[in-house]
Amino acid sequence: MPAFASIDKIADWSGRNHLVIGALGTLISIAALGISAATLWASQSEVIDHAHETSRNIAAVLVGEIARTVDTSNSTLIALASNFSNPAVRRMDPTLRHDLLFKRTIAPYMTGMGVTDRHGQLIDGCCGPNHRWNFGNRDYFTVHRDSDNVGLYMSDVYRARSRNGKESIALSRRIELPDHRFNGIAVVAIDLAYFDHLLSGLDVGPNGVSGIVRIDGTVLARNPPANDKQIASFRRSKSFERMASSEAGFFAARSSIDGTERLYT
């Protein structure tokens, strides 16, 4: 019985070399542990890679949507600025001019649109020709009054007087006379609710957070929402500092708001 003889020999050898057998057992255990650790590391790496890809895709969707919004708004502003740079348009009957330039369907995110004179007085807008708001103290007006090379400007967040104090941002462009002197602005307003709407449709998981933040730390939207104290904490955080100083990237950090460790894109 060669097989039994071989087993007997192995058993006899094992009895006389128990230290070697113990060492081999330890090595086998370490090898198994190493394989398990490698498997866990590979699984964790796959999870991180998947999270990175998901967050990058979400960021791309947001960037694309906001870029289209800005592009459409800019095209509207260029057309308005061009029309109101024409003296003949300014001399038109106000009702006829309003019907031609403003009485049309605008994008749902544009909650206000208008043109001012060089003092900031509203000449006409989508809210109607009878509104008499003055925007002479708004940053989206003064920036064009004081400089002729700003181009498209995005304002600070403000509360819209014409819309019951809703938080908004404005996009504006300079209007000039034929000799290039300042003659007012064209402006469109976008309520922050638009950005909230963009984030509400994103699925970032039970512990995920999505947000739209300006480079100066102004939070235009966040899901879930954060209070003023939490937002102030975020602005001072290393995570925001790192994001603001990089055009793109991916890193893990602990949230300054709720202490949860997250992957930031």
Side-chain angles (χ1 to χ4, degrees):
M1 297 284 182
F4 288 111
S6 298
I7 292 173
D8 289 340
K9 289 180 180 179
I10 292 172
D12 180 62
W13 183 86
S14 298
R16 288 183 287 106
N17 297 275
H18 59 277
L19 292 178
V20 175
I21 294 300
L24 286 173
T26 301
L27 288 175
I28 292 171
S29 298
I30 291 173
L33 181 62
I35 293 170
S36 299
T39 302
L40 289 173
W41 182 87
S43 299
Q44 184 182 34
S45 180
E46 289 175 3
V47 170
I48 291 174
D49 288 343
H50 176 70
H52 184 196
E53 184 66 22
T54 300
S55 61
R56 187 168 58 184
N57 290 339
I58 289 173
V61 169
L62 285 175
V63 168
E65 181 64 33
I66 293 172
R68 283 189 292 272
T69 296
V70 172
D71 185 59
T72 302
S73 301
N74 190 38
S75 297
T76 299
L77 290 172
I78 290 173
L80 283 175
S82 176
N83 285 322
F84 276 84
S85 292
N86 186 339
V89 173
R90 294 225 177 204
R91 292 194 298 267
M92 287 178 64
D93 174 75
T95 302
L96 176 60
R97 183 182 63 202
H98 178 81
D99 289 346
L100 287 174
L101 299 180
F102 295 100
K103 199 171 183 179
R104 56 194 174 98
T105 302
I106 63 172
Y109 54 80
M110 289 187 193
T111 49
M113 180 169 65
V115 172
T116 76
D117 63 17
R118 62 191 182 92
H119 301 294
Q121 190 68 43
L122 184 67
I123 297 173
D124 201 352
C126 65
C127 300
N130 297 320
H131 283 274
R132 291 294 177 262
W133 300 105
N134 188 290
F135 304 131
N137 64 340
R138 297 292 200 188
D139 65 311
Y140 55 80
F141 175 84
T142 58
V143 69
H144 295 294
R145 182 197 62 196
D146 299 339
S147 178
D148 61 0
N149 61 355
V150 174
L152 179 67
Y153 177 77
M154 179 180 289
S155 77
D156 294 335
V157 176
Y158 66 95
R159 292 193 177 275
R161 291 169 292 185
S162 59
R163 295 190 305 285
N164 298 319
K166 287 187 177 180
E167 287 193 312
S168 309
I169 60 169
L171 302 177
S172 62
R173 276 192 169 274
R174 178 183 170 104
I175 297 174
E176 295 183 337
L177 293 168
D179 61 3
H180 301 297
R181 285 182 296 156
F182 178 65
N183 201 30
I185 65 164
V187 58
V188 298
I190 301 174
D191 287 349
L192 295 194
Y194 160 72
F195 300 104
D196 289 329
H197 176 72
L198 289 182
L199 297 186
S200 67
L202 301 177
D203 181 9
V204 293
N207 294 313
V209 172
S210 58
I212 301 173
V213 186
R214 289 178 52 148
I215 196 68
D216 63 358
T218 301
V219 177
L220 300 181
R222 187 182 188 273
N223 187 21
N227 59 42
D228 291 343
K229 184 178 180 180
Q230 291 172 325
I231 290 173
S233 174
F234 170 72
R235 287 174 178 167
R236 296 190 301 267
S237 70
K238 294 293 184 181
S239 298
F240 172 69
E241 182 180 332
R242 186 170 177 179
M243 286 189 290
S245 61
S246 305
E247 291 187 5
F250 176 69
F251 63 92
R254 194 167 296 280
S255 170
S256 62
I257 292 178
D258 60 14
T260 301
E261 188 168 14
R262 294 190 175 92
L263 300 175
Y264 291 80
T265 299

